[in-house]
Amino acid sequence: MLYHLLYPLHIQFSVFNVFRYITFRTIYAVLTAFLICFLLGPWVIRRLAGMQIGQYIREDGPQAHLKKTGTPTMGGTLIVFSITVSTLLWCNLANYYIWILLLVITGYGAIGFADDYLKQVKKQNKGLSALQKITMQSLLALVVGTLIYLTPDFPGTLTFPFFKKYSPDLGLFYILFAALVIVGTSNAVNLTDGLDGLAIGPAIITAVTYMIFAYVTGHVRIAEYLQINYVPGSGEITVFCGAIAGAGLGFLWFNAYPAQVFMGDVGSLSLGAVIGTVAVITKQEILLIIVGGLFVIEALSVIFQVGFFKMTKGKRIFRMAPLHHHFELKGWPEPKVIVRFWIIAIALALISLSTLKLR
Ligand code: 57M
């Protein structure tokens, strides 16, 4: 909105020219989203606590978690709100991809909100059933995949890190592939969200990494130089990633150990889905396996644990899945698990950025 209101003034006052620049607007998108979370956080936490939206803690989990009983959850509403407001303020709203991303953050936010609301407010133990949740997530992902695929000039080809010349055209199957990336990431972030700051830290790291990918993918000359796909209009996603990073930092202020609030499904499902969508639009979908490697490792630990548990009728690979519980049960203090997982996420982000120069 500010772009549309203020940039035209550059004809009279050259200082307003600065609103043209993606880099400038990204910095302010980060700060705006951060400030919204930071300033509204205490009020939101009080409201959630007042509405008795306090987390029930499973008794079969690590014992250290029992002291977290009653911590307000659904703090993700603040994340979704601040990303949306910051995006509306700082992005070029004539950009089609920005509206797709807003659809994803609010749509998956609504699915997560419904689940949290049933569990926390209506006190229905299980919330939405797993089938209801996955059906809604998949339908929305198919709509989003179709919208992206139908965008003029959007390449329906796959990009492989390290093999820049190999890019198979998936045709209409690209829609299915995109949906799989979006739903998979949404659920992987949800599984990771089990320790204070464990999901939001790597989500910030992933957003910052994709900030760089979005910038280079949307810049015709840099994209050509790096021999990556040029996606017209994707540069604006840099600003959107800035809003995710800023909201993440603002939320982390309160979610840092010992957490005053959890994000709930409203936060984890929407953040995961929007990261998956950014990966699709910037044509770095496969690379998300490395950028968001921590989420992948957590999800794989659950798949292997559950598979092995069923095959062997009760035997386990890890002491408990997802993987963070395994280390807790080994005796690592919670902050150690969290910070070490963040370190891994940073290393993976750096490796993924190096692929820009490798071919
Ligand atoms: C949600 N949610 C946290 C909070 C957060 C298939 C199975 C592996 C699924 C998995 C599962 O349900 N995962 C998804 C994980 C929960 O956090 C809430 O949920 C929101 C995210 N959706 O925002 O509202 C608990 O996590 C802790 N937490 C923090 N700090 C945070 O900032 O400490 C969350 C955020 C909170 C709090 O304790 O209550 C969760 O873990 O439930 N299931 C599991 O993860 C369970 N694993 C399991 O059963 N493993 C089995 C295999 C065979 C399936 C095994 O390995 O034996 C564990 N979860 C828990 N206890 N809580 C097991 C025991």
Side-chain angles (χ1 to χ4, degrees), residues 199-209 241 244-250 252 275 295:
I200 199 66
I204 298 168
I205 295 161
T206 309
V208 173
T209 310
C241 287
I244 304 180
L249 287 172
L252 181 59
I275 287 171
F295 301 127

Side-chain angles (χ1 to χ4, degrees), residues 54-62 64-66 68-69 71-76 115-116 119-120 133 187-200 251 254-257 259-269 298-299 301-303 305-307 309-310 314-322 324-326 328-329 334 338:
Q55 184 74 48
Y56 158 79
I57 308 286
R58 282 174 54 170
E59 279 160 23
D60 53 354
H65 282 246
L66 291 176
K68 293 171 185 257
T69 305
T71 308
T73 184
M74 293 178 80
D115 188 38
D116 287 334
K119 270 190 275 192
Q120 307 294 338
K133 233 190 319 191
N187 288 316
V189 173
N190 186 33
L191 287 171
T192 308
D193 189 28
L195 297 180
D196 300 350
L198 189 67
I200 199 66
F251 179 73
F254 304 104
N255 184 233
Y257 180 86
Q260 293 158 265
V261 67
F262 300 152
M263 67 171 80
D265 281 18
V266 54
S268 58
L269 294 185
E298 290 269 36
S301 75
V302 170
I303 294 169
Q305 177 91 330
V306 175
F309 189 85
K310 286 193 175 150
K315 288 209 178 104
R316 291 179 164 83
I317 304 174
F318 306 104
R319 293 189 186 191
M320 191 182 278
H324 51 263
H325 287 319
H326 172 77
E328 275 191 291
L329 292 178
E334 183 173 343
I338 299 160

